[in-house]
Amino acid sequence: MMLGTDVSGLSTTAANAAAQGLSIVVPVYNEAAGLAALHERLIGLAKTLHARYRLGCEVVYVDDGSADATLSIARGLKAEALDVQVVSLSRNFGKEAALMAGLDHVRRGAVLFMDGDGQHSPDLVEKLVGHWIDDGYDVVYTAKAHRDNESFLRRQAVRGFYALINWGARQKIPEDAGDFRLLSPRAAAALKQLPERNRFFKGLATWIGFRQIRVDYEPAPRAHGVTTFSPGRLIGLSIEGLTSFSVAPLRFASLAGVVLAGGAFLFGLSILWEVWTTGKQVPGYPSLVIGLMTIGGVQLIMIGIVGEYIGKILSELKARPIYFVAEHSEKRADGETATSTAERTAAE
């Protein structure tokens, strides 16, 4: 019985890359204002890639339960120079689920993930594709060149997050790496094999291994609207990533317990020493209260950390699907009629 998957047959060479093609997965949530403009840029990108590499392209828009006109606009996008798929989820499942939905629906070999807010420039994609086809890399990931425009507190928080999640990890997650990345056909096939429901895309895309290369870039300003990632959501996402991909919090809790126990032991020795040498007994009430509060607080933190992991175990045991598709349509660039799940159901 094999406990792994052989993806060597999907290795890419410059000669067979064109036959495998490229799928662009774009999760969208309330992006109605800029979706048409982004699609026009992707059409231009597809024409460039076809002229340079003879590379066939498709784009998979995953509507993650948008409350505006995103879905209706996506339905009307033209299939010029690239195929267009529109996958509409039954509700907002979150970006990680939307990325997985896109990965499950791609028709081509290599997969490129990018955001729908315009900050991931299609102009950079040609460079990512070049690293895949010309240089033979399987994972080409992008990272912010710098964080000079962010506050000192946020920069330190990001640095601390990566230090904690990489603590003791065999496969380090590159700092500042984002979801904007390209996976070769065999890397995409490997990522599909990972069955967990509590997904942390940045970690999983690093964990699969293969040849990886970093490309620094400057995110473009948002084309419209404001980010939906508030500080509270970012903290929640950080906790999700830590508990889904790393046991560092558990190790930290164990280390805190050892330090606290060692401090209590030394404090006890100091009291015994004072009694033995001076015969004076410390009243003890303040130290007792402080000790109890410290121990109680640390225990509650540890219980909370363990509870996060127990919650993850429960979620995995329930084995619920991580998304449901309410509607799926496809348009071919060669002029084939668009089909959708709703139309197929009506026909049946």
Side-chain angles (χ1 to χ4, degrees), residues 15 23 98 107 125 151 175 177 180 190 209 272 294-295 333:
S23 294
R107 312 276 193 214
V125 174
S151 66
E175 186 171 340
F180 185 23
L272 290 175
T294 302
I295 295 173

Coordinates of all heavy atoms in Angstrom, one line a residue, residues 15 23 98 107 125 151 175 177 180 190 209 272 294-295 333:
A15 N 9.0 21.7 -23.9 CA 8.3 21.2 -25.0 C 6.8 20.8 -24.8 O 6.0 21.0 -25.6 CB 9.0 19.9 -25.5
S23 N -4.2 27.4 -15.9 CA -5.5 27.9 -15.3 C -5.2 29.0 -14.3 O -4.3 28.8 -13.5 CB -6.2 26.7 -14.6 OG -6.5 25.7 -15.6
A98 N -12.5 29.0 -1.2 CA -12.6 29.5 -2.5 C -11.4 29.1 -3.4 O -11.5 28.7 -4.5 CB -12.8 31.0 -2.6
R107 N -9.2 23.1 -15.5 CA -9.1 22.1 -16.6 C -7.7 22.0 -17.2 O -7.4 21.0 -17.9 CB -10.0 22.6 -17.8 CG -11.4 23.0 -17.4 CD -12.3 21.8 -17.3 NE -13.7 22.2 -17.2 CZ -14.6 21.6 -16.5 NH1 -14.3 20.5 -15.8 NH2 -15.9 22.0 -16.4
V125 N 2.7 38.1 -14.2 CA 2.4 36.7 -14.5 C 3.4 36.1 -15.5 O 3.8 35.0 -15.4 CB 1.0 36.5 -14.9 CG1 0.7 35.0 -15.3 CG2 0.0 36.9 -13.7
S151 N 2.7 50.1 9.7 CA 3.1 50.5 11.1 C 4.2 49.6 11.7 O 4.3 48.4 11.3 CB 1.9 50.6 12.0 OG 1.4 49.3 12.2
E175 N 8.8 34.2 4.8 CA 8.1 35.4 5.4 C 7.6 36.3 4.2 O 8.3 36.5 3.2 CB 9.1 36.2 6.2 CG 8.5 37.3 7.0 CD 9.5 37.9 8.0 OE1 10.4 37.3 8.4 OE2 9.3 39.1 8.4
A177 N 5.4 35.8 2.1 CA 4.9 35.1 0.9 C 3.3 35.2 0.9 O 2.7 35.2 2.0 CB 5.3 33.6 0.9
F180 N -0.5 34.8 -4.1 CA -0.2 35.0 -5.6 C 1.0 34.2 -5.9 O 2.1 34.5 -5.7 CB 0.1 36.5 -5.7 CG 0.3 37.0 -7.2 CD1 -0.2 36.2 -8.2 CD2 1.0 38.1 -7.5 CE1 0.0 36.6 -9.5 CE2 1.2 38.6 -8.7 CZ 0.7 37.8 -9.8
A190 N -0.1 17.6 -6.5 CA 0.2 17.2 -5.1 C -0.6 18.0 -4.1 O -1.1 17.4 -3.1 CB 1.7 17.5 -4.9
G209 N 6.8 20.9 -1.2 CA 8.2 20.8 -1.7 C 8.4 21.1 -3.1 O 7.8 22.1 -3.6
L272 N 12.3 29.0 51.7 CA 12.9 28.0 52.7 C 14.3 28.5 53.2 O 14.6 28.4 54.4 CB 13.1 26.6 52.0 CG 11.8 25.9 51.7 CD1 12.1 24.6 51.0 CD2 11.1 25.5 53.0
T294 N -1.3 33.9 38.7 CA -0.4 33.6 37.6 C -0.6 32.2 37.1 O -0.7 32.0 35.9 CB 1.1 33.8 38.1 OG1 1.3 35.1 38.6 CG2 2.1 33.5 36.9
I295 N -0.6 31.3 38.0 CA -0.8 29.9 37.6 C -2.2 29.7 36.9 O -2.3 29.0 35.9 CB -0.7 28.9 38.8 CG1 0.7 28.9 39.3 CG2 -1.1 27.5 38.4 CD1 0.9 28.2 40.6
A333 N -13.2 29.5 -25.4 CA -12.7 30.6 -26.3 C -12.9 30.2 -27.7 O -12.9 31.1 -28.6 CB -11.2 30.8 -26.0

